[in-house]
PDB file of all heavy atoms in Angstrom:
ATOM      1  N   GLN A  33       7.928 -11.053   7.471  1.00 94.00           N
ATOM      2  CA  GLN A  33       8.171 -11.906   6.281  1.00 94.00           C
ATOM      3  C   GLN A  33       9.676 -12.342   6.339  1.00 94.00           C
ATOM      4  O   GLN A  33      10.566 -11.692   6.911  1.00 94.00           O
ATOM      5  CB  GLN A  33       7.943 -11.173   4.980  1.00 94.00           C
ATOM      6  CG  GLN A  33       6.554 -10.639   4.831  1.00 94.00           C
ATOM      7  CD  GLN A  33       6.354  -9.846   3.573  1.00 94.00           C
ATOM      8  OE1 GLN A  33       7.248  -9.188   3.039  1.00 94.00           O
ATOM      9  NE2 GLN A  33       5.123  -9.860   3.039  1.00 94.00           N
ATOM     10  N   GLN A  37      17.742 -14.596  -0.474  1.00 95.00           N
ATOM     11  CA  GLN A  37      18.321 -13.935  -1.625  1.00 95.00           C
ATOM     12  C   GLN A  37      19.652 -14.702  -2.032  1.00 95.00           C
ATOM     13  O   GLN A  37      20.435 -14.997  -1.187  1.00 95.00           O
ATOM     14  CB  GLN A  37      18.707 -12.461  -1.250  1.00 95.00           C
ATOM     15  CG  GLN A  37      19.333 -11.680  -2.414  1.00 95.00           C
ATOM     16  CD  GLN A  37      19.625 -10.278  -2.054  1.00 95.00           C
ATOM     17  OE1 GLN A  37      19.703  -9.908  -0.807  1.00 95.00           O
ATOM     18  NE2 GLN A  37      19.864  -9.383  -2.903  1.00 95.00           N
ATOM     19  N   ALA A  92       6.347  -5.469   8.659  1.00 88.00           N
ATOM     20  CA  ALA A  92       5.396  -4.424   8.159  1.00 88.00           C
ATOM     21  C   ALA A  92       4.773  -3.766   9.393  1.00 88.00           C
ATOM     22  O   ALA A  92       4.317  -4.413  10.380  1.00 88.00           O
ATOM     23  CB  ALA A  92       4.283  -5.067   7.338  1.00 88.00           C
ATOM     24  N   GLN A  97      -0.188   1.449   3.740  1.00 67.00           N
ATOM     25  CA  GLN A  97       0.915   1.444   2.940  1.00 67.00           C
ATOM     26  C   GLN A  97       1.828   0.186   3.227  1.00 67.00           C
ATOM     27  O   GLN A  97       2.344  -0.408   2.379  1.00 67.00           O
ATOM     28  CB  GLN A  97       1.799   2.684   3.004  1.00 67.00           C
ATOM     29  CG  GLN A  97       1.078   3.884   2.386  1.00 67.00           C
ATOM     30  CD  GLN A  97       1.870   5.183   2.569  1.00 67.00           C
ATOM     31  OE1 GLN A  97       2.938   5.226   3.062  1.00 67.00           O
ATOM     32  NE2 GLN A  97       1.220   6.318   2.139  1.00 67.00           N
ATOM     33  N   LYS A 104      19.253  -6.792   8.728  1.00 94.00           N
ATOM     34  CA  LYS A 104      20.567  -6.738   7.895  1.00 94.00           C
ATOM     35  C   LYS A 104      20.846  -8.031   7.227  1.00 94.00           C
ATOM     36  O   LYS A 104      21.751  -8.134   6.374  1.00 94.00           O
ATOM     37  CB  LYS A 104      21.696  -6.289   8.779  1.00 94.00           C
ATOM     38  CG  LYS A 104      21.524  -4.864   9.279  1.00 94.00           C
ATOM     39  CD  LYS A 104      22.755  -4.425  10.064  1.00 94.00           C
ATOM     40  CE  LYS A 104      22.584  -3.031  10.560  1.00 94.00           C
ATOM     41  NZ  LYS A 104      23.804  -2.524  11.392  1.00 94.00           N
TER      42      LYS A 104
ATOM     43  N   GLN B  37      21.046  -1.697  -1.428  1.00 97.00           N
ATOM     44  CA  GLN B  37      21.590  -2.700  -0.475  1.00 97.00           C
ATOM     45  C   GLN B  37      23.045  -2.597  -0.446  1.00 97.00           C
ATOM     46  O   GLN B  37      23.718  -2.757  -1.449  1.00 97.00           O
ATOM     47  CB  GLN B  37      21.170  -4.148  -0.999  1.00 97.00           C
ATOM     48  CG  GLN B  37      21.587  -5.263  -0.092  1.00 97.00           C
ATOM     49  CD  GLN B  37      21.093  -6.583  -0.547  1.00 97.00           C
ATOM     50  OE1 GLN B  37      21.055  -6.911  -1.733  1.00 97.00           O
ATOM     51  NE2 GLN B  37      20.605  -7.470   0.367  1.00 97.00           N
ATOM     52  N   GLY B  40      26.405  -5.411   4.886  1.00 81.00           N
ATOM     53  CA  GLY B  40      26.188  -5.256   6.340  1.00 81.00           C
ATOM     54  C   GLY B  40      25.014  -4.298   6.693  1.00 81.00           C
ATOM     55  O   GLY B  40      24.807  -4.022   7.873  1.00 81.00           O
ATOM     56  N   TYR B  48       9.224   5.410  -2.685  1.00 96.00           N
ATOM     57  CA  TYR B  48       8.238   4.404  -3.056  1.00 96.00           C
ATOM     58  C   TYR B  48       7.061   5.198  -3.708  1.00 96.00           C
ATOM     59  O   TYR B  48       7.008   6.399  -3.667  1.00 96.00           O
ATOM     60  CB  TYR B  48       7.747   3.575  -1.921  1.00 96.00           C
ATOM     61  CG  TYR B  48       7.065   4.336  -0.802  1.00 96.00           C
ATOM     62  CD1 TYR B  48       5.703   4.403  -0.652  1.00 96.00           C
ATOM     63  CD2 TYR B  48       7.808   4.992   0.209  1.00 96.00           C
ATOM     64  CE1 TYR B  48       5.073   5.065   0.336  1.00 96.00           C
ATOM     65  CE2 TYR B  48       7.190   5.689   1.246  1.00 96.00           C
ATOM     66  CZ  TYR B  48       5.855   5.683   1.238  1.00 96.00           C
ATOM     67  OH  TYR B  48       5.216   6.394   2.279  1.00 96.00           O
ATOM     68  N   ARG B  94       4.276  -4.537  -5.445  1.00 93.00           N
ATOM     69  CA  ARG B  94       3.277  -5.376  -4.787  1.00 93.00           C
ATOM     70  C   ARG B  94       1.925  -4.891  -5.061  1.00 93.00           C
ATOM     71  O   ARG B  94       1.700  -3.756  -5.462  1.00 93.00           O
ATOM     72  CB  ARG B  94       3.567  -5.464  -3.274  1.00 93.00           C
ATOM     73  CG  ARG B  94       3.124  -4.341  -2.411  1.00 93.00           C
ATOM     74  CD  ARG B  94       3.195  -4.552  -0.971  1.00 93.00           C
ATOM     75  NE  ARG B  94       2.819  -3.421  -0.127  1.00 93.00           N
ATOM     76  CZ  ARG B  94       1.660  -3.156   0.364  1.00 93.00           C
ATOM     77  NH1 ARG B  94       0.641  -3.897   0.053  1.00 93.00           N
ATOM     78  NH2 ARG B  94       1.487  -2.085   1.131  1.00 93.00           N
ATOM     79  N   ASN B 100      -0.724 -10.589   1.499  1.00 71.00           N
ATOM     80  CA  ASN B 100       0.143 -10.464   2.715  1.00 71.00           C
ATOM     81  C   ASN B 100       1.346  -9.599   2.588  1.00 71.00           C
ATOM     82  O   ASN B 100       2.368  -9.870   3.101  1.00 71.00           O
ATOM     83  CB  ASN B 100       0.552 -11.951   3.153  1.00 71.00           C
ATOM     84  CG  ASN B 100      -0.531 -12.515   3.962  1.00 71.00           C
ATOM     85  OD1 ASN B 100      -1.403 -11.915   4.550  1.00 71.00           O
ATOM     86  ND2 ASN B 100      -0.486 -13.861   3.968  1.00 71.00           N
ATOM     87  N   ASN B 101       1.169  -8.531   1.864  1.00 77.00           N
ATOM     88  CA  ASN B 101       2.381  -7.630   1.695  1.00 77.00           C
ATOM     89  C   ASN B 101       3.453  -8.091   0.918  1.00 77.00           C
ATOM     90  O   ASN B 101       4.517  -7.425   0.972  1.00 77.00           O
ATOM     91  CB  ASN B 101       2.831  -7.186   3.098  1.00 77.00           C
ATOM     92  CG  ASN B 101       2.453  -5.826   3.516  1.00 77.00           C
ATOM     93  OD1 ASN B 101       1.795  -5.142   2.748  1.00 77.00           O
ATOM     94  ND2 ASN B 101       2.858  -5.428   4.627  1.00 77.00           N
TER      95      ASN B 101
END
Side-chain angles (χ1 to χ4, degrees):
Chain A
Q33 300 178 333
Q37 184 179 16
Q97 294 178 1
K104 294 182 179 181
Chain B
Q37 186 175 38
Y48 64 99
R94 74 168 178 95
N100 278 335
N101 252 359

